[in-house]
Amino acid sequence: MPEKKEFKRLPTDVKPENYTLRLQPDLDKFTFKGQETIDVKVLSSTTSITLNSEEIEIQSACYKAADAGDQNLKAEVKFEPENASVVLSFPSALQPGSGQLCIDFTGELNDKMKGFYRSKYSSPSGEEKYGAVTQFEATDARRAFPCWDEPAVKATFDVTLVVPKNRVALSNMPVKSENDLPEDKDSDGVLVRVYTPVGKKEQGQFALEVAVKTLPFYNKYFQIAYPLPKIDLIAIADFAAGAMENWGLVTYRETALLIDPKNSSSKSKQWVALVVGHELAHQWFGNLVTMEWWTHLWLNEGFASWIEYLCVDYCFPEFDIWTQFVNSDLGRALEMDALHNSHAIEIPVGHPDEVDEIFDAISYSKGASVIRMLHDYVGDESFKKGMNQYLTKFKYKNAVTEDLWESLGKASGKPVLDVMTTWTKQMGYPVVKVSEKQEGSNRVLTLTQEKFCADGVQEKEGSFSWMVPVSISTASDPKKAAVVTLLDKTSMDVTVPNVSPDQWVKVNCESVGVYRVQYSSETLDRFIPAIKNKTLPPRDRLGLQNDLFALARAGMISTVDVLKVVGAFVNEDDYTVWSDLTGNLGQISILLQNTDGFEDFKTFSKKLYKPVAQSLGWDAKESEGPLAAMLRELALTRLGKYGDEETVTEARKRFENHVSGKVPLPADLKGPVYLTVMVNGDETTFNQMMKLYDEADMQEEKVRISRCIGSIKSDELKKKVLDFAMSDKVRSQDTVFVIGGVTGTVQGRELCWQFVQDKWTELHERYKGGFLLSRLVEVSTDNFVTEARAKEVEKFFETHSAPAAERKIQQSVENIRLNAKWMERESTSVLKFLRSQ
Ligand code: BES
Ligand code: ZN
């Protein structure tokens, strides 16, 4: 890894209290003018003031002490690009006390989706237009105006925007304007509005309904009212992240906000609900109370990523969203955190590149998962009480992780600090090994913890140990924990009463704990009938198979044994269980693509998915919920991808009817039909799909198409897709995923990696310092399967720097080596097993 960069934090001898800020964007020249007057407090005598500023020109800066009459001190301006800051030096020392700093500056409305930037859109008549938008997190407010751009330096703002009369101007607080937009007040009188592209106001209705329900829900949950008079949600065409929680003015990429009742899929609706829930939670967690420093970023992101589920469960119980949490967040966390190149939730960060780097699965998904575990450990009442204490104590201020533990510890009377410190200050998590014996009507379990490592090899340095809240359920009451305990040492015995010898006993009831469980094969066998008849609840079925796949990948059990357990899922009907299982089988399929036995894997898979697909049919039943639609999509996609003849024929027929306009595809069938015709298609299909892309009006549809066109078989067409990804037909924020779309085959992975290397300079220039660069590294390297590739990737990045993606590169290389080891160890036996099926 490259050396840590020297990076200086701002001095603390002067602090801002209020900014009077005036910004004037010029949308013809892509520039902006700015003026600010900052009321500051000088805490100790100094001849200079340092604040953050990046890619801004300062025309003049001066300081006026409150008691200096009209006397202005003119500053000499010196930029320090390596610290993204500017030093204003004065001819004489500023004395402790109040004063005003006045700065005139100019900047560019850039095309990098950060700071104060331009976003391109088309008007309803097809005219190309631009808007000006801000994105300040993590360290880019300094690109819009010179400021103290650190989370602990809070101040108030008076903002004036100077814009042409025919433009809408929005800021955090109400701006006088008259618009005909979907708007509503929540039950507490807060004005809630959704801003959509012109002419698409009905696409804001769904998010508006979610927001109007969510605000009162959070008011009640936190027992603290949303403090601003209004909140706007706005869709921005060019947007790097999914959404951004600006206080009172939340910005979204279009696909995270806009829902067309006819043309949006169930998954999109669910996603919009989650993102709205997430960003609104930040109005409390992040905005009202802010982390002291980026080390505690997870307090924002982990917490919001947890409570978004609570909110969606409240608004839309039909999504059974907490089961999906086990797949999307817990699963994601456990996968990444088993790597030797993972990191602790709380981690020292300095340079902006290091800050950008931690917007990752650890801060979000592991953060959310440890909160879920903690919530279960202390109980909802204590949790709410502690949360309210914490928010009340720190509102309009900053907090660190320990502050939250203290409030929750007090509210619950439990050793929250001791327990949670083991989860946030050390990386990784344990595997709990279970051995059991029957003693009369009791089952006595011996639980032993050790660090779980993705390769099964313990860390060379450090000793790891966790305080693990453990819950245990049994066959007689599968949904309820029979025993709850705290595993706070390496090993201990737990007695579970009233269990007969043939009954299963499951550790980690409902997969609430952030750990894996390894059973003896005899114990495991008891689960098989309970999986088949589904008396083992969905989250437990899901967690069980997920642990098994991970243990197999680590070489701790055999993959063939796991595939035998997969056979028990014959009657599975839960979308999320299928989804997780599909992810795990998908990993194996990627490996087996490199062997001559891939056809056997396809046959195995087709047999596996056929019964579900048949029971659901192609057409939605009137009474069905969104999960049925999502399961249909999943099963058909698999069958189509693996070339099931019946599925391919039907998909082609429906695609033709769609293209000709005879029978348009319902939104939930578009995904599987598009993918199936592409995987099994030729140049004609490709051109038809490109035409659909050009004609698509909704970003959701453009994204759906552009992510699947790369699955076309022909290498020549795949190359076309890669060029298309870089063209201005694809928005910069989507390019990475379009590039990733070609990696469905061995040859596609090769093309993609070659392309990324060839275009590295351009891609790096576009995405440097952002999380999209990490995603690019991931899609283009993660699925290689040989040691030679691992070396090649390492070597490439030795000479091609990728700040903010350094850790991701290490993780990808580690993943490639894991794949290589698995291939060596198990591909032969797995193929033999598949052939015998
Ligand atoms: N605060 C983030 C936005 C952000 C992300 C800013 C990365 C800077 C860098 C926002 O609250 C967020 O987490 N958005 C998520 C969506 C969410 C539903 C997981 C995102 O952008 O992916
Ligand atoms: Zn967030």
Side-chain angles (χ1 to χ4, degrees):
M1 272 231 217
E3 274 171 52
K4 267 202 155 193
K5 293 164 214 102
E6 268 304 320
F7 181 72
K8 275 202 244 121
R9 295 270 296 271
L10 293 173
T12 53
D13 51 358
V14 179
K15 68 171 216 258
E17 291 188 325
N18 182 65
Y19 292 73
T20 305
L21 174 67
R22 188 185 153 92
L23 287 173
Q24 181 169 4
D26 183 330
L27 285 162
D28 297 318
K29 298 207 193 84
F30 299 139
T31 56
F32 63 90
K33 272 198 249 176
Q35 268 174 351
E36 61 184 348
T37 303
I38 314 175
D39 299 328
V40 298
K41 264 238 158 69
V42 177
L43 300 174
S44 59
S45 167
T46 174
T47 54
S48 67
I49 296 180
T50 307
L51 56 174
N52 292 114
S53 182
E54 198 166 358
E55 290 175 16
I56 276 180
E57 278 181 38
I58 292 183
Q59 275 77 48
S60 73
C62 61
Y63 179 80
K64 196 167 103 183
D67 52 10
D70 283 340
Q71 202 200 337
N72 276 352
L73 291 178
K74 203 168 153 16
E76 187 190 310
V77 178
K78 192 168 157 272
F79 288 96
E80 288 188 347
E82 66 285 3
N83 292 321
S85 62
V86 60
V87 182
L88 308 176
S89 306
F90 299 95
S92 58
L94 317 182
Q95 295 312 314
S98 302
Q100 279 189 331
L101 189 60
C102 298
I103 306 176
D104 284 350
F105 55 93
T106 52
E108 185 205 5
L109 289 176
N110 69 68
D111 62 355
K112 298 263 177 318
M113 299 183 283
K114 50 188 176 188
F116 201 10
Y117 72 92
R118 58 188 192 248
S119 171
K120 186 163 106 180
Y121 65 96
S122 0
S123 70
S125 62
E127 198 192 338
E128 208 171 78
K129 297 187 97 180
Y130 286 89
V133 195
T134 62
Q135 171 61 38
F136 288 169
E137 196 176 26
T139 55
D140 291 321
R142 62 194 64 172
R143 292 171 182 272
F145 55 97
C147 58
W148 279 263
D149 197 7
E150 294 182 357
V153 192
K154 291 199 175 196
T156 53
F157 284 81
D158 295 308
V159 182
T160 303
L161 297 171
V162 185
V163 303
K165 273 217 174 63
N166 62 352
R167 294 286 189 149
V168 175
L170 289 175
S171 185
N172 308 75
M173 289 287 275
V175 179
K176 244 181 44 192
S177 70
E178 283 150 26
N179 298 296
D180 171 29
L181 283 157
E183 69 171 55
D184 199 352
K185 292 210 168 176
D186 79 347
S187 51
D188 303 298
V190 175
L191 177 67
V192 186
R193 296 180 295 197
V194 174
Y195 281 78
T196 69
V198 177
K200 297 186 175 177
K201 92 178 178 185
E202 71 291 342
Q203 293 182 15
Q205 199 59 41
F206 178 76
L208 181 65
E209 281 159 25
V210 179
V212 167
K213 264 194 175 175
T214 298
L215 273 188
F217 175 72
Y218 287 154
N219 281 339
K220 191 158 165 236
Y221 196 86
F222 298 131
Q223 288 288 306
I224 296 179
Y226 174 74
L228 306 185
K230 68 101 179 173
I231 188 157
D232 293 321
L233 291 73
I234 181 168
I236 306 290
D238 291 298
F239 200 80
M244 178 65 213
E245 67 265 28
N246 312 294
W247 215 350
L249 175 52
V250 185
T251 43
Y252 292 81
R253 70 160 70 188
E254 291 189 353
T255 50
L257 191 70
L258 305 178
I259 290 297
D260 176 344
K262 268 229 189 79
N263 294 307
S264 292
S265 66
S266 304
K267 265 226 182 88
S268 293
K269 278 189 209 145
Q270 177 178 297
W271 179 237
V272 168
L274 284 167
V275 186
V276 170
H278 180 104
E279 305 308 335
L280 293 192
H282 277 317
Q283 308 303 312
W284 286 262
F285 251 82
N287 295 350
L288 186 63
V289 177
T290 309
M291 69 265 165
E292 179 73 32
W293 182 246
W294 299 106
T295 298
H296 307 283
L297 169 69
W298 86 280
L299 278 181
N300 280 10
E301 298 306 347
F303 187 83
S305 299
W306 172 77
I307 206 167
E308 66 186 62
Y309 284 84
L310 201 66
C311 158
V312 170
D313 195 39
Y314 166 77
C315 297
F316 305 99
E318 63 272 28
F319 282 119
D320 184 22
I321 202 74
W322 279 115
T323 302
Q324 297 195 56
F325 180 97
V326 180
N327 164 251
S328 352
D329 280 272
L330 180 62
R332 187 164 163 248
L334 294 179
E335 189 179 334
M336 175 153 150
D337 205 23
L339 297 177
H340 296 293
N341 287 294
S342 183
H343 65 88
I345 285 181
E346 292 182 71
I347 178 177
V349 279
H351 194 278
D353 289 338
E354 294 169 359
V355 176
D356 285 326
E357 198 162 38
I358 59 169
F359 284 82
D360 66 359
I362 296 301
S363 299
Y364 279 78
S365 295
K366 189 182 181 189
S369 300
V370 301
I371 298 263
R372 175 167 171 254
M373 177 167 70
L374 172 64
H375 175 266
D376 187 65
Y377 172 63
V378 301
D380 192 54
E381 275 317 303
S382 300
F383 190 83
K384 273 202 282 214
K385 201 169 136 203
M387 228 46 177
N388 171 268
Q389 276 175 14
Y390 166 84
L391 290 170
T392 307
K393 185 165 172 193
F394 296 100
K395 64 182 173 190
Y396 301 106
K397 297 201 199 85
N398 296 78
V400 297
T401 303
E402 272 89 357
D403 294 325
L404 182 61
W405 300 159
E406 192 189 290
S407 294
L408 289 166
K410 254 197 214 143
S412 66
K414 292 192 170 164
V416 173
L417 174 75
D418 293 345
V419 171
M420 295 312 288
T421 297
T422 69
W423 295 95
T424 60
K425 287 198 196 286
Q426 71 186 337
M427 72 168 193
Y429 60 86
V431 51
V432 173
K433 297 188 173 175
V434 182
S435 61
E436 45 173 29
K437 53 180 186 286
Q438 187 75 24
E439 288 181 357
S441 63
N442 291 342
R443 189 77 59 84
V444 180
L445 309 186
T446 303
L447 307 179
T448 310
Q449 63 160 309
E450 65 183 48
K451 184 175 186 302
F452 180 73
C453 299
D455 60 357
V457 181
Q458 290 294 315
E459 231 82 23
K460 280 183 214 80
E461 281 158 42
S463 66
F464 289 84
S465 169
W466 289 264
M467 289 176 78
V468 192
V470 171
S471 59
I472 300 169
S473 54
T474 74
S476 41
D477 194 355
K479 288 216 167 103
K480 209 169 142 267
V483 176
V484 181
T485 182
L486 191 66
L487 173 60
D488 56 0
K489 39 181 127 24
T490 307
S491 186
M492 74 181 200
D493 284 355
V494 182
T495 301
V496 186
N498 306 320
V499 185
S500 62
D502 58 326
Q503 283 188 315
W504 56 261
V505 170
K506 181 162 183 297
V507 177
N508 201 4
C509 178
E510 298 223 81
S511 303
V512 169
V514 185
Y515 56 93
R516 297 200 184 279
V517 184
Q518 182 172 12
Y519 302 97
S520 68
S521 54
E522 184 197 343
T523 306
L524 195 58
D525 284 344
R526 285 204 200 88
F527 289 113
I528 302 294
I531 295 173
K532 276 196 182 134
N533 65 22
K534 293 175 286 177
T535 50
L536 188 68
R539 289 170 213 177
D540 294 292
R541 301 201 291 276
L542 192 165
L544 192 78
Q545 60 78 37
N546 191 288
D547 285 351
L548 290 174
F549 275 99
L551 292 166
R553 194 173 189 225
M556 294 162 78
I557 57 176
S558 96
T559 304
V560 168
D561 285 347
V562 179
L563 291 175
K564 285 180 188 156
V565 176
V566 169
F569 287 82
V570 277
N571 301 315
E572 188 55 63
D573 57 2
D574 186 282
Y575 160 71
T576 314
V577 176
W578 270 117
S579 175
D580 202 81
L581 181 57
T582 298
N584 293 324
L585 288 171
Q587 270 207 349
I588 291 182
S589 103
I590 284 165
L591 304 177
L592 294 180
Q593 280 178 329
N594 295 278
T595 67
D596 58 5
F598 188 53
E599 283 307 315
D600 297 313
F601 179 84
K602 283 190 183 170
T603 310
F604 172 83
S605 299
K606 283 184 269 189
K607 239 169 85 185
L608 189 67
Y609 290 98
K610 200 76 181 186
V612 217
Q614 267 165 349
S615 79
L616 287 163
W618 279 78
D619 297 304
K621 311 202 175 41
E622 214 164 293
S623 58
E624 76 179 23
L627 292 175
M630 281 149 74
L631 181 54
R632 174 182 301 112
E633 175 184 348
L634 181 149
L636 290 177
T637 301
R638 287 293 123 180
L639 289 172
K641 196 175 153 97
Y642 296 137
D644 172 63
E645 261 173 54
E646 214 181 320
T647 310
V648 176
T649 309
E650 183 67 20
R652 282 192 177 133
K653 190 178 104 202
R654 288 181 185 244
F655 184 68
E656 288 309 325
N657 284 341
H658 177 68
V659 172
S660 68
K662 225 167 55 215
V663 191
L665 283 165
D668 284 318
L669 274 187
K670 282 183 177 171
V673 168
Y674 289 177
L675 189 88
T676 302
V677 298
M678 282 319 271
V679 172
N680 303 283
D682 56 17
E683 190 157 5
T684 314
T685 336
F686 181 82
N687 292 334
Q688 282 173 314
M689 201 63 98
M690 278 301 193
K691 188 159 171 273
L692 284 183
Y693 182 88
D694 289 335
E695 287 166 0
D697 182 39
M698 262 201 110
Q699 191 61 14
E700 176 183 333
E701 175 77 347
K702 282 204 192 288
V703 167
R704 178 160 39 231
I705 294 172
S706 61
R707 284 185 179 202
C708 87
I709 42 169
S711 42
I712 191 88
K713 243 186 227 127
S714 141
D715 287 345
E716 283 320 301
L717 294 174
K718 273 190 154 76
K719 283 184 191 155
K720 271 198 182 172
V721 172
L722 290 169
D723 291 332
F724 162 77
M726 300 295 284
S727 73
D728 56 10
K729 276 192 171 190
V730 175
R731 296 207 182 254
S732 203
Q733 73 228 19
D734 300 319
T735 296
V736 172
F737 306 98
V738 181
I739 293 178
V742 307
T743 61
T745 59
V746 173
Q747 189 56 22
R749 264 163 240 148
E750 174 67 42
L751 288 173
C752 173
W753 172 230
Q754 196 53 53
F755 181 83
V756 168
Q757 292 178 86
D758 294 346
K759 299 268 178 199
W760 182 255
T761 317
E762 193 180 340
L763 286 163
H764 182 256
E765 190 48 39
R766 266 205 208 187
Y767 301 119
K768 64 177 167 206
F771 49 85
L772 286 170
L773 197 67
S774 295
R775 299 307 300 270
L776 183 68
V777 172
E778 186 177 321
V779 302
S780 60
T781 64
D782 244 19
N783 290 330
F784 284 133
V785 298
T786 61
E787 173 60 28
R789 285 289 186 191
K791 289 219 173 75
E792 186 185 318
V793 172
E794 261 175 343
K795 192 144 174 266
F796 178 79
F797 288 109
E798 268 165 27
T799 49
H800 297 80
S801 88
E806 296 297 347
R807 188 180 287 110
K808 182 67 239 175
I809 294 164
Q810 306 297 322
Q811 290 171 344
S812 286
V813 170
E814 191 177 343
N815 271 321
I816 300 172
R817 295 212 157 101
L818 283 169
N819 291 344
K821 276 198 192 166
W822 186 93
M823 288 290 284
E824 213 173 279
R825 202 176 56 231
E826 304 212 66
S827 57
T828 315
S829 58
V830 167
L831 285 176
K832 204 170 135 212
F833 169 79
L834 291 175
R835 220 157 279 153
S836 73
Q837 288 298 293

